[in-house]
Amino acid sequence: MIFTGYMFPNAHSIHPYLEDPRNGSTSRFCSDLALSLRCYVTAGFPERLSPDEIGVKDATGTPVAGDNSVEGEVGIRNEVDIVGANSAVLYGPDGCWVGGYRKTNLFKTDLTWAKAGTGFTTFQLPAPLHTVTLAICNDLNVFNSTSHLPPPQHADPQKTSPPQSPTQTTSSWTLKEGPYELADYCIAQKTNLLILLDAWLTSGESVHDEEEHDWHNVNYWAARLRPLWVNEGVEGGFVEDGDITEPDVGDETVVVVCNRFGEENGESFAGTSCLLSMRRKSGRPKLFEAMGRREEGVRLWTAG
Protein backbone atom coordinates (compact mmCIF):
# COMPACT_ATOMS: atom_id res chain seq x y z
CA MET A 1 0.00 0.00 0.00
CA ILE A 2 2.22 2.73 -1.37
CA PHE A 3 0.62 5.90 0.04
CA THR A 4 -0.84 4.82 3.38
CA GLY A 5 1.59 2.61 5.27
CA TYR A 6 0.56 -0.82 6.50
CA MET A 7 0.62 -1.20 10.29
CA PHE A 8 -2.97 -0.31 11.15
CA PRO A 9 -4.16 -1.85 14.45
CA ASN A 10 -7.85 -2.02 13.57
CA ALA A 11 -10.56 -1.08 11.08
CA HIS A 12 -11.16 2.27 12.75
CA SER A 13 -7.58 3.41 12.13
CA ILE A 14 -7.45 2.45 8.45
CA HIS A 15 -10.95 3.60 7.56
CA PRO A 16 -9.97 7.22 6.61
CA TYR A 17 -7.39 5.89 4.13
CA LEU A 18 -9.56 3.44 2.20
CA GLU A 19 -9.78 4.13 -1.54
CA ASP A 20 -12.40 3.34 -4.12
CA PRO A 21 -11.03 1.15 -6.91
CA ARG A 22 -10.28 2.94 -10.20
CA ASN A 23 -10.76 6.50 -8.89
CA GLY A 24 -8.75 6.59 -5.64
CA SER A 25 -5.41 8.38 -5.31
CA THR A 26 -3.36 5.23 -6.01
CA SER A 27 -5.35 4.43 -9.15
CA ARG A 28 -5.00 8.00 -10.43
CA PHE A 29 -1.26 7.94 -9.75
CA CYS A 30 -0.77 4.62 -11.56
CA SER A 31 -2.87 5.78 -14.51
CA ASP A 32 -0.93 9.02 -14.90
CA LEU A 33 2.46 7.32 -14.54
CA ALA A 34 1.60 4.52 -16.97
CA LEU A 35 0.39 7.01 -19.57
CA SER A 36 3.43 9.24 -19.09
CA LEU A 37 5.97 6.41 -19.39
CA ARG A 38 3.93 4.30 -21.82
CA CYS A 39 4.34 1.22 -19.67
CA TYR A 40 2.44 -1.02 -17.24
CA VAL A 41 2.26 0.17 -13.62
CA THR A 42 1.04 -1.74 -10.57
CA ALA A 43 0.80 -0.73 -6.92
CA GLY A 44 -0.91 -1.76 -3.71
CA PHE A 45 -3.66 0.17 -1.91
CA PRO A 46 -6.31 -0.33 0.82
CA GLU A 47 -9.52 -0.90 -1.14
CA ARG A 48 -12.84 0.31 0.22
CA LEU A 49 -15.46 -2.43 0.14
CA SER A 50 -18.83 -1.87 -1.46
CA PRO A 51 -21.71 -1.56 1.05
CA ASP A 52 -22.90 -5.12 0.45
CA GLU A 53 -19.42 -6.50 1.25
CA ILE A 54 -18.89 -4.70 4.55
CA GLY A 55 -19.41 -6.93 7.55
CA VAL A 56 -18.05 -8.24 10.82
CA LYS A 57 -16.06 -11.36 11.66
CA ASP A 58 -15.25 -12.85 15.03
CA ALA A 59 -11.78 -13.52 16.45
CA THR A 60 -11.46 -16.72 14.39
CA GLY A 61 -12.20 -14.89 11.13
CA THR A 62 -15.72 -16.29 10.78
CA PRO A 63 -18.32 -13.79 9.49
CA VAL A 64 -20.91 -12.81 12.09
CA ALA A 65 -24.34 -13.21 10.52
CA GLY A 66 -26.80 -10.38 10.76
CA ASP A 67 -24.33 -7.84 12.14
CA ASN A 68 -23.18 -5.54 9.36
CA SER A 69 -21.31 -2.31 9.96
CA VAL A 70 -21.92 0.71 7.76
CA GLU A 71 -19.77 3.69 6.92
CA GLY A 72 -19.63 6.06 9.85
CA GLU A 73 -20.19 3.27 12.37
CA VAL A 74 -16.82 1.56 12.12
CA GLY A 75 -15.40 1.22 15.61
CA ILE A 76 -13.38 -0.96 17.92
CA ARG A 77 -15.32 -3.99 19.18
CA ASN A 78 -14.73 -7.55 20.28
CA GLU A 79 -15.39 -8.64 16.72
CA VAL A 80 -13.28 -7.50 13.76
CA ASP A 81 -14.85 -5.13 11.25
CA ILE A 82 -14.39 -6.08 7.62
CA VAL A 83 -14.15 -2.70 5.90
CA GLY A 84 -11.59 -3.12 3.11
CA ALA A 85 -9.21 -5.34 1.20
CA ASN A 86 -5.43 -5.32 0.80
CA SER A 87 -5.48 -4.84 -2.95
CA ALA A 88 -3.38 -4.10 -6.02
CA VAL A 89 -4.24 -2.32 -9.23
CA LEU A 90 -2.71 -2.63 -12.71
CA TYR A 91 -2.79 0.09 -15.39
CA GLY A 92 -1.65 -0.11 -19.01
CA PRO A 93 0.41 2.17 -21.29
CA ASP A 94 -2.75 3.99 -22.40
CA GLY A 95 -3.49 4.97 -18.80
CA CYS A 96 -6.48 2.62 -18.65
CA TRP A 97 -7.33 0.16 -15.90
CA VAL A 98 -6.29 -3.41 -16.75
CA GLY A 99 -7.41 -5.18 -13.59
CA GLY A 100 -7.12 -5.56 -9.87
CA TYR A 101 -6.27 -8.17 -7.27
CA ARG A 102 -7.10 -8.75 -3.59
CA LYS A 103 -4.58 -10.40 -1.29
CA THR A 104 -5.59 -14.01 -0.69
CA ASN A 105 -3.47 -15.18 2.26
CA LEU A 106 -3.88 -12.52 4.93
CA PHE A 107 -1.14 -11.63 7.41
CA LYS A 108 -2.05 -10.94 11.05
CA THR A 109 -2.14 -7.17 10.39
CA ASP A 110 -4.69 -7.65 7.59
CA LEU A 111 -6.92 -9.78 9.80
CA THR A 112 -7.91 -6.69 11.81
CA TRP A 113 -9.75 -5.06 8.90
CA ALA A 114 -9.46 -6.82 5.54
CA LYS A 115 -11.50 -9.23 3.48
CA ALA A 116 -9.47 -11.95 1.77
CA GLY A 117 -9.47 -12.32 -1.99
CA THR A 118 -10.89 -15.39 -3.67
CA GLY A 119 -7.68 -16.56 -5.34
CA PHE A 120 -4.58 -15.51 -7.26
CA THR A 121 -4.89 -13.45 -10.45
CA THR A 122 -3.16 -13.64 -13.83
CA PHE A 123 -3.21 -11.22 -16.76
CA GLN A 124 -2.41 -11.89 -20.42
CA LEU A 125 -0.36 -8.89 -21.58
CA PRO A 126 1.47 -8.12 -24.84
CA ALA A 127 5.06 -9.22 -25.44
CA PRO A 128 7.53 -9.21 -23.83
CA LEU A 129 5.48 -9.55 -20.61
CA HIS A 130 3.03 -12.27 -21.74
CA THR A 131 1.48 -14.10 -18.75
CA VAL A 132 1.75 -11.96 -15.60
CA THR A 133 0.68 -13.01 -12.09
CA LEU A 134 0.16 -10.50 -9.27
CA ALA A 135 0.55 -11.44 -5.61
CA ILE A 136 0.87 -9.54 -2.35
CA CYS A 137 3.38 -10.32 0.42
CA ASN A 138 1.96 -13.12 2.60
CA ASP A 139 0.48 -14.80 -0.49
CA LEU A 140 3.87 -16.56 -0.53
CA ASN A 141 2.84 -18.37 2.63
CA VAL A 142 0.10 -20.96 2.84
CA PHE A 143 -3.34 -20.05 4.15
CA ASN A 144 -3.74 -21.03 7.82
CA SER A 145 -0.25 -22.50 8.12
CA THR A 146 2.97 -22.14 10.05
CA SER A 147 6.38 -22.10 8.39
CA HIS A 148 9.14 -24.61 9.10
CA LEU A 149 12.00 -23.45 6.91
CA PRO A 150 15.62 -24.45 7.38
CA PRO A 151 18.02 -21.66 8.38
CA PRO A 152 19.39 -19.54 5.51
CA GLN A 153 22.83 -20.07 4.06
CA HIS A 154 25.69 -18.83 6.26
CA ALA A 155 23.29 -18.33 9.19
CA ASP A 156 23.34 -19.66 12.72
CA PRO A 157 21.68 -23.10 12.49
CA GLN A 158 20.23 -22.64 15.97
CA LYS A 159 18.10 -19.71 14.83
CA THR A 160 14.77 -20.22 13.12
CA SER A 161 12.94 -18.29 10.43
CA PRO A 162 10.79 -15.34 11.51
CA PRO A 163 7.03 -15.83 11.82
CA GLN A 164 5.50 -14.43 8.63
CA SER A 165 2.31 -16.49 8.44
CA PRO A 166 -1.22 -15.62 9.58
CA THR A 167 -2.10 -15.87 13.25
CA GLN A 168 -4.61 -18.62 12.48
CA THR A 169 -2.40 -21.70 12.30
CA THR A 170 -3.97 -25.08 11.66
CA SER A 171 -1.43 -27.00 9.58
CA SER A 172 2.31 -27.27 9.02
CA TRP A 173 4.47 -26.42 6.03
CA THR A 174 7.63 -28.34 5.12
CA LEU A 175 10.34 -27.59 2.59
CA LYS A 176 9.96 -30.93 0.82
CA GLU A 177 6.17 -31.25 0.71
CA GLY A 178 4.96 -27.66 0.95
CA PRO A 179 2.20 -27.01 0.09
CA TYR A 180 3.28 -24.39 -2.45
CA GLU A 181 0.06 -22.61 -3.39
CA LEU A 182 1.49 -19.65 -5.30
CA ALA A 183 4.28 -21.57 -7.06
CA ASP A 184 1.90 -24.34 -8.13
CA TYR A 185 -0.53 -21.73 -9.42
CA CYS A 186 2.24 -20.09 -11.49
CA ILE A 187 3.19 -23.45 -13.00
CA ALA A 188 -0.44 -24.19 -13.89
CA GLN A 189 -0.87 -20.75 -15.46
CA LYS A 190 2.52 -20.91 -17.24
CA THR A 191 3.38 -17.58 -15.63
CA ASN A 192 6.21 -15.69 -17.34
CA LEU A 193 6.38 -12.85 -14.81
CA LEU A 194 5.43 -12.97 -11.11
CA ILE A 195 5.19 -9.60 -9.35
CA LEU A 196 5.19 -9.61 -5.54
CA LEU A 197 4.13 -6.36 -3.86
CA ASP A 198 5.49 -6.69 -0.32
CA ALA A 199 5.64 -5.04 3.07
CA TRP A 200 7.85 -7.81 4.46
CA LEU A 201 9.34 -7.40 7.92
CA THR A 202 13.05 -7.72 8.64
CA SER A 203 14.19 -11.26 9.31
CA GLY A 204 16.05 -10.43 12.51
CA GLU A 205 19.25 -11.62 10.85
CA SER A 206 22.12 -9.11 10.43
CA VAL A 207 19.85 -6.19 11.33
CA HIS A 208 22.40 -4.57 13.63
CA ASP A 209 25.47 -5.00 11.45
CA GLU A 210 26.57 -3.42 8.21
CA GLU A 211 25.26 -6.09 5.83
CA GLU A 212 23.62 -4.30 2.93
CA HIS A 213 20.93 -6.87 2.11
CA ASP A 214 18.56 -9.06 4.10
CA TRP A 215 19.68 -12.32 2.50
CA HIS A 216 17.70 -14.36 5.01
CA ASN A 217 14.48 -13.03 3.49
CA VAL A 218 15.71 -13.48 -0.09
CA ASN A 219 16.37 -17.15 0.73
CA TYR A 220 12.94 -17.36 2.34
CA TRP A 221 11.17 -15.94 -0.73
CA ALA A 222 13.05 -18.30 -3.04
CA ALA A 223 12.29 -21.30 -0.82
CA ARG A 224 8.57 -20.50 -0.88
CA LEU A 225 8.72 -20.66 -4.70
CA ARG A 226 10.76 -23.87 -4.76
CA PRO A 227 8.67 -25.78 -7.37
CA LEU A 228 9.62 -23.11 -9.92
CA TRP A 229 13.29 -24.14 -9.82
CA VAL A 230 13.82 -27.31 -7.76
CA ASN A 231 15.93 -30.20 -9.02
CA GLU A 232 16.80 -32.60 -6.21
CA GLY A 233 20.07 -33.62 -7.86
CA VAL A 234 21.39 -30.08 -8.48
CA GLU A 235 19.87 -27.94 -5.75
CA GLY A 236 21.98 -25.56 -3.68
CA GLY A 237 22.45 -21.80 -3.38
CA PHE A 238 21.85 -18.90 -5.73
CA VAL A 239 23.41 -18.35 -9.12
CA GLU A 240 24.40 -14.73 -9.64
CA ASP A 241 24.08 -12.99 -12.99
CA GLY A 242 27.10 -13.76 -15.14
CA ASP A 243 28.02 -17.01 -13.40
CA ILE A 244 28.35 -20.20 -15.43
CA THR A 245 25.16 -22.21 -15.05
CA GLU A 246 23.70 -25.48 -16.21
CA PRO A 247 21.93 -25.46 -19.60
CA ASP A 248 18.41 -24.03 -19.63
CA VAL A 249 16.20 -27.03 -18.93
CA GLY A 250 12.66 -25.75 -18.50
CA ASP A 251 10.17 -22.92 -18.58
CA GLU A 252 11.25 -19.72 -16.86
CA THR A 253 9.36 -17.46 -14.47
CA VAL A 254 10.93 -14.07 -13.78
CA VAL A 255 10.13 -12.93 -10.24
CA VAL A 256 10.11 -9.27 -9.17
CA VAL A 257 9.95 -8.72 -5.40
CA CYS A 258 9.05 -5.10 -4.58
CA ASN A 259 9.53 -4.73 -0.82
CA ARG A 260 9.32 -1.57 1.26
CA PHE A 261 11.91 -0.51 3.81
CA GLY A 262 11.97 1.75 6.86
CA GLU A 263 9.96 1.68 10.08
CA GLU A 264 6.31 2.11 10.98
CA ASN A 265 4.68 1.88 14.41
CA GLY A 266 7.66 0.05 15.87
CA GLU A 267 8.02 -2.47 13.02
CA SER A 268 11.02 -2.58 10.65
CA PHE A 269 10.77 -3.62 7.01
CA ALA A 270 13.40 -5.55 5.10
CA GLY A 271 13.75 -3.69 1.79
CA THR A 272 16.05 -5.81 -0.44
CA SER A 273 13.77 -5.62 -3.49
CA CYS A 274 15.16 -8.02 -6.07
CA LEU A 275 14.88 -9.56 -9.53
CA LEU A 276 15.11 -13.35 -9.84
CA SER A 277 14.95 -15.94 -12.60
CA MET A 278 13.41 -19.31 -11.71
CA ARG A 279 13.70 -21.98 -14.39
CA ARG A 280 12.08 -25.39 -13.99
CA LYS A 281 14.46 -28.12 -12.82
CA SER A 282 17.48 -25.80 -12.91
CA GLY A 283 18.24 -26.64 -9.28
CA ARG A 284 18.63 -23.07 -8.06
CA PRO A 285 17.20 -19.59 -8.62
CA LYS A 286 19.26 -16.96 -10.43
CA LEU A 287 19.66 -13.56 -8.79
CA PHE A 288 19.96 -10.72 -11.30
CA GLU A 289 19.87 -7.68 -9.03
CA ALA A 290 18.94 -6.60 -5.49
CA MET A 291 18.48 -3.26 -3.76
CA GLY A 292 19.73 -2.61 -0.25
CA ARG A 293 17.83 -2.99 3.01
CA ARG A 294 17.75 0.78 3.45
CA GLU A 295 17.69 1.82 -0.20
CA GLU A 296 14.93 3.95 -1.69
CA GLY A 297 14.97 4.70 -5.40
CA VAL A 298 14.21 3.56 -8.92
CA ARG A 299 16.08 0.74 -10.64
CA LEU A 300 16.01 -0.32 -14.29
CA TRP A 301 16.68 -4.05 -14.50
CA THR A 302 16.91 -6.38 -17.47
CA ALA A 303 16.20 -10.10 -17.13
CA GLY A 304 18.00 -12.18 -19.71
Side-chain angles (χ1 to χ4, degrees):
M1 302 190 295
I2 62 171
F3 291 140
T4 62
Y6 178 59
M7 304 306 297
F8 294 94
N10 50 52
H12 180 75
S13 62
I14 199 172
H15 189 262
Y17 303 99
L18 298 175
E19 302 178 23
D20 294 321
R22 302 201 193 200
N23 59 12
S25 57
T26 303
S27 292
R28 294 195 302 270
F29 170 81
C30 290
S31 175
D32 291 345
L33 185 61
L35 183 61
S36 174
L37 299 179
R38 306 298 296 176
C39 68
Y40 288 89
V41 175
T42 183
F45 73 104
E47 179 185 350
R48 188 192 318 276
L49 297 183
S50 61
D52 61 329
E53 291 185 286
I54 295 176
V56 177
K57 57 187 176 182
D58 63 22
T60 68
T62 304
V64 179
D67 187 7
N68 290 329
S69 60
V70 296
E71 187 169 352
E73 296 181 356
V74 177
I76 302 173
R77 356 174 158 181
N78 292 329
E79 298 87 8
V80 178
D81 291 300
I82 304 173
V83 297
N86 189 338
S87 299
V89 68
L90 176 66
Y91 277 80
D94 56 359
C96 293
W97 183 82
V98 175
Y101 168 69
R102 289 179 175 177
K103 185 177 182 180
T104 300
N105 296 340
L106 301 183
F107 187 54
K108 61 183 180 181
T109 305
D110 306 302
L111 293 174
T112 65
W113 62 274
K115 178 179 181 177
T118 57
F120 306 128
T121 298
T122 292
F123 302 92
Q124 298 298 328
L125 302 180
L129 298 178
H130 300 294
T131 304
V132 178
T133 296
L134 279 182
I136 299 175
C137 206
N138 201 63
D139 282 332
L140 269 178
N141 287 329
V142 181
F143 181 66
N144 283 358
S145 72
T146 57
S147 62
H148 296 282
L149 281 176
Q153 293 177 318
H154 313 302
D156 184 344
Q158 301 302 315
K159 295 182 180 180
T160 58
S161 298
Q164 290 284 353
S165 53
T167 55
Q168 298 170 277
T169 56
T170 59
S171 61
S172 294
W173 182 94
T174 64
L175 184 66
K176 185 174 181 62
E177 298 181 1
Y180 292 96
E181 294 175 338
L182 182 57
D184 289 343
Y185 173 85
C186 289
I187 291 173
Q189 296 295 316
K190 300 185 183 302
T191 297
N192 301 110
L193 174 64
L194 169 61
I195 302 173
L196 287 162
L197 304 176
D198 288 2
W200 206 279
L201 301 176
T202 57
S203 65
E205 302 287 337
S206 304
V207 172
H208 300 296
D209 62 22
E210 298 303 318
E211 187 171 356
E212 182 181 0
H213 305 91
D214 193 329
W215 294 122
H216 186 283
N217 274 335
V218 176
N219 277 280
Y220 188 100
W221 300 331
R224 284 292 187 174
L225 296 171
R226 190 169 180 259
L228 298 180
W229 53 266
V230 67
N231 183 331
E232 299 293 350
V234 180
E235 186 174 350
F238 281 93
V239 176
E240 295 188 2
D241 192 19
D243 287 353
I244 298 175
T245 64
E246 295 80 8
D248 295 341
V249 292
D251 294 337
E252 180 188 37
T253 299
V254 174
V255 180
V256 180
V257 183
C258 307
N259 192 49
R260 67 167 290 187
F261 84 109
E263 296 186 357
E264 181 186 350
N265 290 342
E267 298 286 358
S268 297
F269 297 88
T272 318
S273 296
C274 57
L275 178 67
L276 300 161
S277 169
M278 298 188 179
R279 192 175 290 276
R280 308 303 174 269
K281 298 187 181 301
S282 65
R284 63 194 71 185
K286 182 176 183 179
L287 176 66
F288 286 113
E289 298 281 355
M291 298 179 73
R293 286 194 291 117
R294 303 178 184 89
E295 182 178 357
E296 182 179 34
V298 176
R299 289 285 192 95
L300 298 178
W301 289 336
T302 301

